[in-house]
mmCIF file with all atom_site columns, all heavy atoms in Angstrom:
data_model
loop_
_atom_site.group_PDB
_atom_site.id
_atom_site.type_symbol
_atom_site.label_atom_id
_atom_site.label_alt_id
_atom_site.label_comp_id
_atom_site.label_asym_id
_atom_site.label_entity_id
_atom_site.label_seq_id
_atom_site.pdbx_PDB_ins_code
_atom_site.Cartn_x
_atom_site.Cartn_y
_atom_site.Cartn_z
_atom_site.occupancy
_atom_site.B_iso_or_equiv
_atom_site.pdbx_formal_charge
_atom_site.auth_seq_id
_atom_site.auth_comp_id
_atom_site.auth_asym_id
_atom_site.auth_atom_id
_atom_site.pdbx_PDB_model_num
ATOM 1  N N   . ALA A 1 60 ? 162.317 62.228 105.134 1.00 52.00 ? 222 ALA A N   1
ATOM 2  C CA  . ALA A 1 60 ? 161.922 63.542 105.799 1.00 52.00 ? 222 ALA A CA  1
ATOM 3  C C   . ALA A 1 60 ? 161.777 64.623 104.848 1.00 52.00 ? 222 ALA A C   1
ATOM 4  O O   . ALA A 1 60 ? 161.330 65.707 105.298 1.00 52.00 ? 222 ALA A O   1
ATOM 5  C CB  . ALA A 1 60 ? 162.823 63.767 106.969 1.00 52.00 ? 222 ALA A CB  1
ATOM 6  N N   . ALA A 1 61 ? 162.231 64.502 103.578 1.00 72.00 ? 223 ALA A N   1
ATOM 7  C CA  . ALA A 1 61 ? 162.146 65.709 102.685 1.00 72.00 ? 223 ALA A CA  1
ATOM 8  C C   . ALA A 1 61 ? 160.782 65.959 102.191 1.00 72.00 ? 223 ALA A C   1
ATOM 9  O O   . ALA A 1 61 ? 160.477 66.968 101.629 1.00 72.00 ? 223 ALA A O   1
ATOM 10 C CB  . ALA A 1 61 ? 163.028 65.454 101.632 1.00 72.00 ? 223 ALA A CB  1
ATOM 11 N N   . PHE A 1 62 ? 159.792 65.039 102.346 1.00 82.00 ? 224 PHE A N   1
ATOM 12 C CA  . PHE A 1 62 ? 158.462 65.318 101.994 1.00 82.00 ? 224 PHE A CA  1
ATOM 13 C C   . PHE A 1 62 ? 157.851 66.326 103.020 1.00 82.00 ? 224 PHE A C   1
ATOM 14 O O   . PHE A 1 62 ? 158.028 66.218 104.237 1.00 82.00 ? 224 PHE A O   1
ATOM 15 C CB  . PHE A 1 62 ? 157.556 63.957 102.200 1.00 82.00 ? 224 PHE A CB  1
ATOM 16 C CG  . PHE A 1 62 ? 157.695 63.007 101.076 1.00 82.00 ? 224 PHE A CG  1
ATOM 17 C CD1 . PHE A 1 62 ? 158.730 61.957 101.145 1.00 82.00 ? 224 PHE A CD1 1
ATOM 18 C CD2 . PHE A 1 62 ? 156.960 63.184 100.005 1.00 82.00 ? 224 PHE A CD2 1
ATOM 19 C CE1 . PHE A 1 62 ? 158.745 61.104 100.093 1.00 82.00 ? 224 PHE A CE1 1
ATOM 20 C CE2 . PHE A 1 62 ? 157.048 62.245 98.885  1.00 82.00 ? 224 PHE A CE2 1
ATOM 21 C CZ  . PHE A 1 62 ? 158.023 61.247 98.939  1.00 82.00 ? 224 PHE A CZ  1
ATOM 22 N N   . ARG A 1 63 ? 157.273 67.403 102.460 1.00 87.00 ? 225 ARG A N   1
ATOM 23 C CA  . ARG A 1 63 ? 156.663 68.466 103.207 1.00 87.00 ? 225 ARG A CA  1
ATOM 24 C C   . ARG A 1 63 ? 155.293 68.662 102.749 1.00 87.00 ? 225 ARG A C   1
ATOM 25 O O   . ARG A 1 63 ? 154.884 68.549 101.768 1.00 87.00 ? 225 ARG A O   1
ATOM 26 C CB  . ARG A 1 63 ? 157.477 69.902 102.980 1.00 87.00 ? 225 ARG A CB  1
ATOM 27 C CG  . ARG A 1 63 ? 158.949 69.823 103.254 1.00 87.00 ? 225 ARG A CG  1
ATOM 28 C CD  . ARG A 1 63 ? 159.189 69.541 104.767 1.00 87.00 ? 225 ARG A CD  1
ATOM 29 N NE  . ARG A 1 63 ? 160.638 69.467 105.129 1.00 87.00 ? 225 ARG A NE  1
ATOM 30 C CZ  . ARG A 1 63 ? 160.955 69.199 106.336 1.00 87.00 ? 225 ARG A CZ  1
ATOM 31 N NH1 . ARG A 1 63 ? 160.289 68.762 107.286 1.00 87.00 ? 225 ARG A NH1 1
ATOM 32 N NH2 . ARG A 1 63 ? 162.313 69.183 106.443 1.00 87.00 ? 225 ARG A NH2 1
ATOM 33 N N   . GLU A 1 64 ? 154.495 69.049 103.768 1.00 90.00 ? 226 GLU A N   1
ATOM 34 C CA  . GLU A 1 64 ? 153.071 69.344 103.546 1.00 90.00 ? 226 GLU A CA  1
ATOM 35 C C   . GLU A 1 64 ? 153.008 70.754 102.842 1.00 90.00 ? 226 GLU A C   1
ATOM 36 O O   . GLU A 1 64 ? 153.492 71.726 103.444 1.00 90.00 ? 226 GLU A O   1
ATOM 37 C CB  . GLU A 1 64 ? 152.321 69.416 104.730 1.00 90.00 ? 226 GLU A CB  1
ATOM 38 C CG  . GLU A 1 64 ? 150.789 69.598 104.541 1.00 90.00 ? 226 GLU A CG  1
ATOM 39 C CD  . GLU A 1 64 ? 149.968 69.477 105.875 1.00 90.00 ? 226 GLU A CD  1
ATOM 40 O OE1 . GLU A 1 64 ? 150.119 68.431 106.581 1.00 90.00 ? 226 GLU A OE1 1
ATOM 41 O OE2 . GLU A 1 64 ? 149.206 70.421 106.228 1.00 90.00 ? 226 GLU A OE2 1
ATOM 42 N N   . VAL A 1 65 ? 152.349 70.877 101.673 1.00 90.00 ? 227 VAL A N   1
ATOM 43 C CA  . VAL A 1 65 ? 152.310 72.144 100.991 1.00 90.00 ? 227 VAL A CA  1
ATOM 44 C C   . VAL A 1 65 ? 150.849 72.366 100.569 1.00 90.00 ? 227 VAL A C   1
ATOM 45 O O   . VAL A 1 65 ? 149.992 71.509 100.632 1.00 90.00 ? 227 VAL A O   1
ATOM 46 C CB  . VAL A 1 65 ? 153.213 72.087 99.760  1.00 90.00 ? 227 VAL A CB  1
ATOM 47 C CG1 . VAL A 1 65 ? 154.680 72.055 100.156 1.00 90.00 ? 227 VAL A CG1 1
ATOM 48 C CG2 . VAL A 1 65 ? 152.964 71.019 98.837  1.00 90.00 ? 227 VAL A CG2 1
ATOM 49 N N   . ALA A 1 66 ? 150.539 73.617 100.074 1.00 92.00 ? 228 ALA A N   1
ATOM 50 C CA  . ALA A 1 66 ? 149.217 73.932 99.648  1.00 92.00 ? 228 ALA A CA  1
ATOM 51 C C   . ALA A 1 66 ? 149.104 73.149 98.247  1.00 92.00 ? 228 ALA A C   1
ATOM 52 O O   . ALA A 1 66 ? 149.893 73.056 97.414  1.00 92.00 ? 228 ALA A O   1
ATOM 53 C CB  . ALA A 1 66 ? 149.086 75.452 99.379  1.00 92.00 ? 228 ALA A CB  1
ATOM 54 N N   . CYS A 1 67 ? 147.856 72.603 98.130  1.00 93.00 ? 229 CYS A N   1
ATOM 55 C CA  . CYS A 1 67 ? 147.651 71.820 97.030  1.00 93.00 ? 229 CYS A CA  1
ATOM 56 C C   . CYS A 1 67 ? 147.619 72.494 95.691  1.00 93.00 ? 229 CYS A C   1
ATOM 57 O O   . CYS A 1 67 ? 147.840 72.071 94.605  1.00 93.00 ? 229 CYS A O   1
ATOM 58 C CB  . CYS A 1 67 ? 146.252 71.090 97.126  1.00 93.00 ? 229 CYS A CB  1
ATOM 59 S SG  . CYS A 1 67 ? 146.257 69.778 98.393  1.00 93.00 ? 229 CYS A SG  1
ATOM 60 N N   . ALA A 1 68 ? 147.361 73.907 95.779  1.00 93.00 ? 230 ALA A N   1
ATOM 61 C CA  . ALA A 1 68 ? 147.406 74.710 94.568  1.00 93.00 ? 230 ALA A CA  1
ATOM 62 C C   . ALA A 1 68 ? 148.754 75.235 94.189  1.00 93.00 ? 230 ALA A C   1
ATOM 63 O O   . ALA A 1 68 ? 148.977 75.940 93.313  1.00 93.00 ? 230 ALA A O   1
ATOM 64 C CB  . ALA A 1 68 ? 146.477 76.019 94.794  1.00 93.00 ? 230 ALA A CB  1
ATOM 65 N N   . SER A 1 69 ? 149.807 75.058 95.128  1.00 91.00 ? 231 SER A N   1
ATOM 66 C CA  . SER A 1 69 ? 151.101 75.512 94.876  1.00 91.00 ? 231 SER A CA  1
ATOM 67 C C   . SER A 1 69 ? 151.839 74.727 93.876  1.00 91.00 ? 231 SER A C   1
ATOM 68 O O   . SER A 1 69 ? 151.522 73.433 93.662  1.00 91.00 ? 231 SER A O   1
ATOM 69 C CB  . SER A 1 69 ? 151.870 75.517 96.261  1.00 91.00 ? 231 SER A CB  1
ATOM 70 O OG  . SER A 1 69 ? 152.359 74.201 96.536  1.00 91.00 ? 231 SER A OG  1
ATOM 71 N N   . GLY A 1 70 ? 152.860 75.254 93.178  1.00 91.00 ? 232 GLY A N   1
ATOM 72 C CA  . GLY A 1 70 ? 153.612 74.599 92.193  1.00 91.00 ? 232 GLY A CA  1
ATOM 73 C C   . GLY A 1 70 ? 154.528 73.426 92.817  1.00 91.00 ? 232 GLY A C   1
ATOM 74 O O   . GLY A 1 70 ? 154.923 72.547 92.099  1.00 91.00 ? 232 GLY A O   1
ATOM 75 N N   . ALA A 1 71 ? 154.584 73.339 94.168  1.00 90.00 ? 233 ALA A N   1
ATOM 76 C CA  . ALA A 1 71 ? 155.463 72.458 94.758  1.00 90.00 ? 233 ALA A CA  1
ATOM 77 C C   . ALA A 1 71 ? 154.741 71.142 95.073  1.00 90.00 ? 233 ALA A C   1
ATOM 78 O O   . ALA A 1 71 ? 155.258 70.047 95.327  1.00 90.00 ? 233 ALA A O   1
ATOM 79 C CB  . ALA A 1 71 ? 156.017 72.933 96.132  1.00 90.00 ? 233 ALA A CB  1
#
Side-chain angles (χ1 to χ4, degrees):
F224 282 93
R225 300 294 182 192
E226 185 175 310
V227 297
C229 290
S231 77

